[in-house]
């Protein structure tokens, strides 16, 4: 819309003035009515956004082969023998106006009763690492379903919780060894 001809045609037509006032009122009303909704779209509750955790079991106990009298430097990867590993992370979203501290995230693997507890002291999206090794007590087998419970607490009260059913996966331990090192002198083997 070109305003210049309207400004030059003075005095304006009364219908033009009414139309201008209606468009202005409608625009201001729209800004007042919908302006706050766009600015504040966040929730005021703590939520568990994602749970990305795996449970792995290694029933076998194996060690790298060594030659008699040799020394090896080995880099191991995987779950140690006769152990269960629980690895991953949990993502928790804490609103910026949250004011009850300290906030605690509990991650518990129900069949074996192990719990990992982490304190969180910042707002926004927080990632809580889950990493622990447990000796295999023969409670779990590969292919079993294990319940992972995630609970967020403040002042001893549960704010939110979540449960996930995880399938126990088979894992092994591998070794990458370097046998090029000679035995130290003066050491009796």
């Amino acid at each position: 819309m070109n305003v210049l001809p309207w400004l030059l045609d003075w005095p304006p037509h009364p219908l033009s003035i009414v139309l201008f006032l209606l468009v202005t009122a409608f625009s201001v009303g729209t800004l007042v009515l919908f302006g706050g909704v766009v600015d504040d779209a966040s929730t005021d509750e703590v939520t568990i956004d994602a749970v990305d955790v795996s449970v792995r079991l290694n029933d076998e106990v194996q060690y790298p082969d060594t030659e008699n009298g040799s020394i090896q430097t080995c880099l191991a990867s995987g779950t140690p023998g006769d152990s269960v590993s629980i690895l991953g992370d949990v993502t928790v979203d804490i609103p910026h106006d949250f004011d009850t501290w300290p906030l605690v995230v509990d991650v518990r693997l129900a069949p074996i009763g192990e719990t990992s507890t982490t304190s969180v002291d910042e707002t926004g999206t927080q990632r809580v690492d889950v990493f622990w090794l447990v000796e295999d007590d023969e409670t779990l087998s590969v292919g079993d379903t294990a319940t992972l419970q995630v609970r967020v607490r403040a002042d001893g009260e549960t704010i939110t919780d979540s449960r996930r059913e995880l399938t126990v996966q088979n894992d092994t331990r591998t070794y990458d060894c370097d046998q090029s090192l000679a035995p130290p002198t003066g050491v009796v083997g």
Side-chain angles (χ1 to χ4, degrees):
M1 175 177 180
N2 192 354
V3 182
L4 188 59
W6 182 75
L7 289 175
L8 295 177
D9 183 28
W10 200 257
H13 193 273
L15 188 57
S16 298
I17 295 172
V18 171
L19 181 63
F20 176 77
L21 291 175
L22 284 175
V23 169
T24 303
F26 180 75
S27 299
V28 171
T30 302
L31 289 175
V32 169
L33 185 63
F34 295 111
V37 175
V38 174
D39 291 338
D40 188 22
S42 66
T43 179
D44 60 347
E45 296 180 5
V46 175
T47 57
I48 299 169
D49 287 342
V51 176
D52 184 19
V53 176
S54 66
V55 179
R56 298 179 180 273
L57 171 66
N58 182 6
D59 280 331
E60 299 176 10
V61 178
Q62 70 178 36
Y63 298 100
D65 294 329
T66 61
E67 296 178 17
N68 191 16
S70 69
I71 295 177
Q72 295 187 65
T73 302
C74 297
L75 180 64
S77 61
T79 304
D82 205 25
S83 299
V84 177
S85 66
I86 298 93
L87 306 169
D89 57 71
V90 174
T91 305
V92 178
D93 190 41
I94 304 163
H96 294 291
D97 59 351
F98 189 77
D99 60 357
T100 307
W101 302 102
L103 195 64
V104 176
V105 179
D106 293 329
V107 179
R108 181 175 188 270
L109 190 62
I112 60 175
E114 290 293 323
T115 302
S116 168
T117 301
T118 305
S119 293
V120 177
D121 57 1
E122 295 182 23
T123 60
T125 301
Q126 300 297 318
R127 183 175 157 231
V128 176
D129 291 325
V130 178
F131 174 79
W132 78 91
L133 294 171
V134 181
E135 185 177 333
D136 181 19
D137 63 356
E138 306 303 324
T139 303
L140 295 173
S141 298
V142 174
D144 285 352
T145 301
T147 302
L148 186 79
Q149 301 168 332
V150 179
R151 183 172 62 162
V152 179
R153 296 181 294 125
D155 289 337
E157 298 292 325
T158 300
I159 296 174
T160 186
D161 64 349
S162 176
R163 293 176 187 261
R164 298 285 194 276
E165 299 296 322
L166 305 174
T167 302
V168 178
Q169 300 171 6
N170 189 26
D171 203 2
T172 59
R173 189 153 180 99
T174 58
Y175 296 91
D176 183 15
C177 297
D178 180 10
Q179 296 179 349
S180 64
L181 297 174
T185 57
V187 176
V188 178

